[in-house]
């Protein structure tokens, strides 16, 4: 259950956890709750891809009613009112711990509402076309629909964000050459990497993740804000660059996409994190063969560039080349969240990993806090010998440096 590549959406976990009733915090009961959160471009769907509220299904649904209000309700949902959760449930115990830890309900009211909506099995649906630049007004012809069972109210929702506005994005881009060199060198010895590392190039492990296909795989560095010390030491330059960039990431991992594969239209179900990619190895770099579409906007990956986007909006991807595409991927906290709200959301995920954090026994709670502190600290890294000049079997020959002679990224609106 604690597999960082289970392809289980953080949202799915968020909702599933809060709905689970338990009056105790026994380890077995708590561990049965644990599923992977915030994992991958393929945060994998709780419902099959074909069941997601895509443009087509929304269009069909909205034509099956004559009432304008009813049609709008199919596309846009309104969050229900919330109330305090029962202290006899696991979700209620987590809520009580949140209120105690952060000094009352006021500073974390949006987080409490989000947790309660998850407990109520509420899914937020909203057509976001009118909020884009330029705006899109027809929901029947647009894919700019937000689908978020894990939902914090009043957060900005846009397809692509300006990465230049984030200092951490610039630092990661500046570290591109070192990260790429290390990645190419280490992955050249795939047998050795597989033997030494944890869940190397793990694929989707749930049936609901089938929409991502077999071509999408991950290699995790950080999961739920906690470092994988084994994988971090296999890529120490990358781990150091990520740490020093200050990226507010809940997850960090390499992701591969096989040639000739695609990822179907879907949502990642969570609106309080954004997704970011540092493009590492892009086949036919700059020739528009590897593309990502968020809502109604399509961009190509360009080596060395950082993209930031909102995957609570319906999105898809494609690799039309004959080589594997590699990126370094991040799940970052939404910039509209306050510092206290970030800490509160992280605390929820910490409790889901270590239920003893809300134990009434002081010793048990202290031990969980110490384990968490160690898990979230950057592991001691053993720098590997510099092998920039060594040859590798990685299919990398002929690629230019960052951007090379290739075209810069441009927006492509439908």
């Amino acid at each position: 259950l604690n597999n960082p590549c289970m392809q289980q959406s953080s949202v799915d976990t968020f909702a599933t956890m809060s709905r689970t009733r338990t009056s105790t915090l026994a380890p077995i009961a708590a561990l049965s709750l644990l599923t992977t959160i915030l994992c991958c471009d393929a945060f994998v769907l709780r419902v099959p891809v074909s069941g997601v509220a895509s443009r087509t299904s929304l269009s069909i649904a909205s034509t099956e009613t004559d009432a304008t209000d009813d049609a709008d309700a199919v596309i846009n949902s309104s969050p229900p009112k919330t109330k305090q959760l029962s202290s006899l449930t696991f979700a209620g115990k987590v809520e009580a711990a949140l209120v105690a830890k952060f000094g009352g309900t006021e500073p974390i009211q949006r987080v409490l509402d989000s947790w309660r909506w998850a407990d109520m099995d509420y899914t937020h649906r909203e057509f976001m076309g009118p909020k884009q630049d330029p705006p899109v007004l027809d929901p029947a012809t647009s894919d700019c629909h937000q689908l978020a069972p894990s939902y914090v109210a009043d957060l900005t929702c846009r397809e692509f964000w300006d990465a230049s506005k984030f200092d951490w994005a610039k630092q990661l881009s500046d570290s591109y050459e070192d990260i790429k060199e290390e990645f190419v060198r280490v992955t050249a010895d795939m047998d050795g990497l597989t033997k030494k590392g944890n869940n190397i190039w793990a694929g989707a492990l749930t049936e609901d993740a089938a929409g991502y296909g077999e071509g999408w795989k991950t290699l995790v560095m950080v999961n739920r804000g906690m470092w994988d010390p084994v994988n971090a030491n296999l890529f120490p330059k990358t781990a150091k660059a990520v740490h020093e960039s200050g990226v507010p990431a809940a997850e960090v991992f390499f992701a591969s996409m096989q040639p000739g594969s695609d990822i179907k239209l879907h949502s990642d179900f969570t609106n309080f994190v954004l997704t970011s990619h540092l493009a590492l190895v892009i086949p036919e770099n700059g020739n528009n063969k590897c593309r990502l579409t968020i809502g109604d906007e399509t961009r190509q990956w360009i080596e060395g560039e950082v993209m930031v986007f909102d995957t609570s909006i319906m999105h898809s991807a494609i690799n039309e080349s004959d080589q594997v595409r590699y990126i370094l991927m991040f799940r970052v906290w939404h910039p509209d969240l306050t510092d206290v709200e970030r800490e509160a959301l992280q605390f929820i995920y910490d409790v889901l990993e270590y239920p003893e954090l809300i134990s009434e026994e002081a010793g048990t709670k202290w031990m969980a806090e110490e384990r968490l502190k160690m898990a979230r600290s950057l592991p001691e890294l053993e720098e590997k010998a510099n092998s920039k000049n060594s040859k590798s079997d990685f299919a990398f020959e002929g690629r230019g440096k960052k951007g090379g002679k290739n075209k810069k990224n441009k927006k492509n609106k439908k």
Side-chain angles (χ1 to χ4, degrees):
L1 288 176
N2 194 22
N3 181 340
C5 290
M6 183 175 281
Q7 309 297 307
Q8 178 75 19
S9 117
S10 66
V11 181
D12 192 8
T13 301
F14 202 59
T16 302
M17 293 291 194
S18 68
R19 290 197 305 274
T20 303
R21 290 342 192 229
T22 177
S23 59
T24 70
L25 290 175
I28 293 178
L31 285 173
S32 69
L33 300 176
L34 297 179
T35 52
T36 301
I37 64 173
L38 293 173
C39 196
C40 12
D41 190 62
F43 254 1
V44 181
L45 312 177
R46 179 173 58 178
V47 295
V49 173
S50 59
V52 173
S54 65
R55 176 195 354 143
T56 302
S57 64
L58 286 168
S59 176
I60 293 173
S62 63
T63 60
E64 291 177 346
T65 176
D66 295 329
T68 301
D69 290 344
D70 290 343
D72 182 69
V74 172
I75 298 171
N76 300 308
S77 61
S78 297
K81 292 183 178 180
T82 67
K83 62 180 180 180
Q84 183 176 340
L85 299 176
S86 169
S87 61
L88 298 179
T89 68
F90 179 78
K93 293 179 184 294
V94 173
E95 178 177 279
L98 281 167
V99 174
K101 182 177 179 66
F102 295 99
T105 62
E106 184 176 355
I108 57 169
Q109 187 59 57
R110 292 198 299 183
V111 175
L112 292 176
D113 285 339
S114 179
W115 185 239
R116 293 166 181 173
W117 288 329
D119 186 66
M120 298 164 67
D121 203 20
Y122 170 72
T123 294
H124 188 75
R125 294 177 173 85
E126 187 172 354
F127 174 49
M128 289 296 180
K131 299 182 180 181
Q132 307 309 305
D133 182 20
V136 178
L137 302 180
D138 185 359
T141 59
S142 170
D143 284 328
C144 196
H145 295 268
Q146 184 179 68
L147 182 66
S150 257
Y151 174 74
V152 171
D154 301 322
L155 300 181
T156 302
C157 183
R158 63 172 63 107
E159 294 158 323
F160 285 89
W161 291 64
D162 184 355
S164 68
K165 302 295 184 182
F166 302 105
D167 291 340
W168 54 263
K170 183 181 184 304
Q171 290 195 48
L172 287 170
S173 184
D174 289 344
S175 300
Y176 161 71
E177 295 290 354
D178 286 340
I179 293 173
K180 177 180 175 182
E181 178 277 324
E182 180 178 67
F183 175 80
V184 171
R185 171 168 43 84
V186 175
T187 56
D189 180 11
M190 191 55 64
D191 289 340
L193 180 60
T194 302
K195 292 176 182 178
K196 296 176 183 177
N198 285 331
N199 297 305
I200 301 300
W201 298 130
L205 299 184
T206 66
E207 184 177 349
D208 289 342
Y212 292 90
E214 297 180 357
W216 200 94
K217 299 183 185 298
T218 64
L219 193 166
V220 173
M221 300 284 284
V222 178
N223 181 44
R224 309 187 199 189
M226 304 173 199
W227 284 90
D228 183 315
V230 173
N231 290 350
N233 267 289
L234 291 173
F235 300 91
K237 289 184 180 180
T238 300
K240 184 178 179 181
V242 168
H243 178 70
E244 292 181 348
S245 74
V247 57
E251 282 197 347
V252 183
F253 49 94
F254 297 104
S256 68
M257 189 174 183
Q258 293 297 311
S261 66
D262 65 354
I263 298 174
K264 306 300 183 185
L265 191 68
H266 68 283
S267 164
D268 285 350
F269 285 0
T270 309
N271 85 319
F272 51 77
V273 294
L274 300 179
T275 300
S276 179
H277 290 176
L278 171 60
L280 295 181
V281 181
I282 309 301
E284 299 192 43
N285 187 39
N287 289 330
N288 212 34
K289 291 290 186 179
C290 298
R291 304 184 301 277
L292 172 69
T293 299
I294 308 294
D296 299 322
E297 185 173 338
T298 299
R299 298 187 183 183
Q300 62 174 320
W301 286 282
I302 296 291
E303 290 183 5
E305 289 189 1
V306 173
M307 289 196 290
V308 182
F309 43 92
D310 191 329
T311 50
S312 69
I313 299 173
M314 303 298 289
H315 60 284
S316 60
I318 192 167
N319 178 1
E320 292 181 329
S321 77
D322 59 1
Q323 295 179 327
V324 183
R325 179 229 65 178
Y326 294 98
I327 60 170
L328 182 59
M329 184 167 171
F330 307 85
R331 297 294 197 190
V332 299
W333 295 112
H334 196 293
D336 288 354
L337 294 169
T338 66
D339 290 343
V340 172
E341 288 172 332
R342 285 189 195 182
E343 291 179 25
L345 288 166
Q346 182 63 60
F347 179 72
I348 290 174
Y349 290 128
D350 292 343
V351 171
L352 299 181
E353 179 68 24
Y354 298 108
E356 299 85 358
L357 288 169
I358 57 175
S359 172
E360 295 180 357
E361 297 181 5
T364 300
K365 182 178 179 180
W366 179 83
M367 289 181 64
E369 290 172 343
E370 291 301 303
R371 289 168 60 199
L372 176 64
K373 188 184 303 182
M374 291 180 62
R376 297 188 64 182
S377 299
L378 180 68
E380 184 175 346
L381 301 175
E382 299 178 6
E383 290 286 352
K384 310 298 181 185
N386 190 332
S387 305
K388 277 191 175 184
N389 297 322
S390 64
K391 295 183 179 180
S392 78
D393 295 329
F394 190 87
F396 188 71
E397 292 78 4
R399 297 193 185 280
K401 292 187 177 180
K402 180 178 173 182
K405 63 179 181 179
N406 298 299
K407 303 170 185 177
K408 280 296 202 179
N409 215 337
K410 295 183 179 179
K411 295 182 180 180
N412 297 309
K413 283 286 184 177
K414 288 183 180 178

